[in-house]
Amino acid sequence: MNALKLSIQFLVAALLPFGETIAATKPLAPATILFVGDSISAAYGLKPEQGYVTLLQKDLTSASGKRAITVVNGSVSGDTTANGRARLPVLLAKHKPTLVVIALGGNDALRGISAKTMAENLEAMARLSATAKARVILVGLQVPPNFGAQYTAQFEGAYKEVASKLKLTLVPSILAPLGTSLDYFQADRIHPTAAAQPLIAKHLLPILLKAL
């Protein structure tokens, strides 16, 4: 009988610290997601609140439960990877993000900037973010066929190269969920419409949640 009593006391003593640890678990710390992109992320031709970045703020708040998540849109229409690289240090210092989403490259293609230069800029941005203790998601873009097979391969390869080298999460194309339907694009056939924004947000949401 005494042996049984001692065994029970030992079991209670062994389990107590574990129970106390669970009870004392603190909620997840607040997180900040910084988007550094171009006109697609800046909601060109739309109201800011219609853009996918703003929609993601609402979706993340809903999906994350009690965790406070702030989304900062540091995107500027017309930006190249060089512009983003130049602006990033100030954005990192100001917002101290937990996660940085780099969604640049379209304007590099439009200006004929080499894929090698683009890759160098993307890598530099990722390294700057890592130094600031932020995780990085790299978001790519597929250029139209009229850019030529060689440049298209080099352009898409730049994202894969940087993601592989630095072990980053890669989203191959931000516009993938839109398919080829022109109904989701504005008259310029480049920028997504308001109706397309929720599709882009839905595409990115689980990737962001996993990264956090």
Side-chain angles (χ1 to χ4, degrees):
M1 192 71 177
N2 289 335
L4 177 60
K5 185 177 180 180
L6 287 173
S7 296
I8 293 174
Q9 289 175 339
F10 177 81
L11 181 61
V12 172
L15 290 177
L16 185 57
F18 179 72
E20 289 178 345
T21 300
I22 293 176
T25 298
K26 296 180 180 180
L28 291 171
T32 298
I33 303 176
L34 171 64
F35 279 80
V36 186
D38 48 31
S39 55
I40 293 177
S41 299
Y44 175 87
L46 306 173
K47 295 178 181 178
E49 59 269 24
Q50 293 178 304
Y52 82 86
V53 177
T54 301
L55 296 180
L56 275 171
Q57 172 71 82
K58 300 175 183 177
D59 294 341
L60 285 163
T61 299
S62 175
S64 63
K66 296 182 179 180
R67 187 177 192 184
I69 298 178
T70 301
V71 177
V72 177
N73 196 353
S75 304
V76 175
S77 294
D79 259 12
T80 61
T81 55
N83 298 138
R85 179 178 180 177
R87 294 193 300 109
L88 185 57
V90 173
L91 291 171
L92 291 173
K94 180 178 180 180
H95 301 290
K96 296 177 175 55
T98 311
L99 178 65
V100 176
V101 181
I102 303 173
L104 290 165
N107 289 304
D108 291 65
L110 291 174
R111 299 184 185 189
I113 296 172
S114 73
K116 179 182 179 182
T117 298
M118 186 179 83
E120 290 173 351
N121 289 329
L122 291 174
E123 180 178 342
M125 292 181 71
R127 290 189 182 280
L128 282 169
S129 300
T131 299
K133 299 181 180 180
R135 293 186 178 182
V136 177
I137 291 178
L138 188 58
V139 180
L141 183 74
Q142 291 180 321
V143 295
N146 61 301
F147 279 81
Q150 182 178 3
Y151 184 79
T152 297
Q154 292 174 345
F155 181 84
E156 294 177 5
Y159 294 107
K160 295 177 182 177
E161 174 191 337
V162 175
S164 177
K165 183 177 182 179
L166 302 183
K167 294 180 173 57
L168 307 177
T169 297
L170 172 64
V171 180
S173 175
I174 191 173
L175 302 180
L178 309 185
T180 57
S181 175
L182 293 180
D183 293 339
Y184 288 126
F185 291 88
Q186 298 179 39
D188 59 14
R189 297 190 178 186
I190 295 176
H191 298 95
T193 61
Q197 303 299 318
L199 298 180
I200 298 174
K202 183 179 179 181
H203 179 53
L204 294 177
L205 179 62
I207 301 171
L208 297 178
L209 288 172
K210 183 178 180 180
L212 290 173

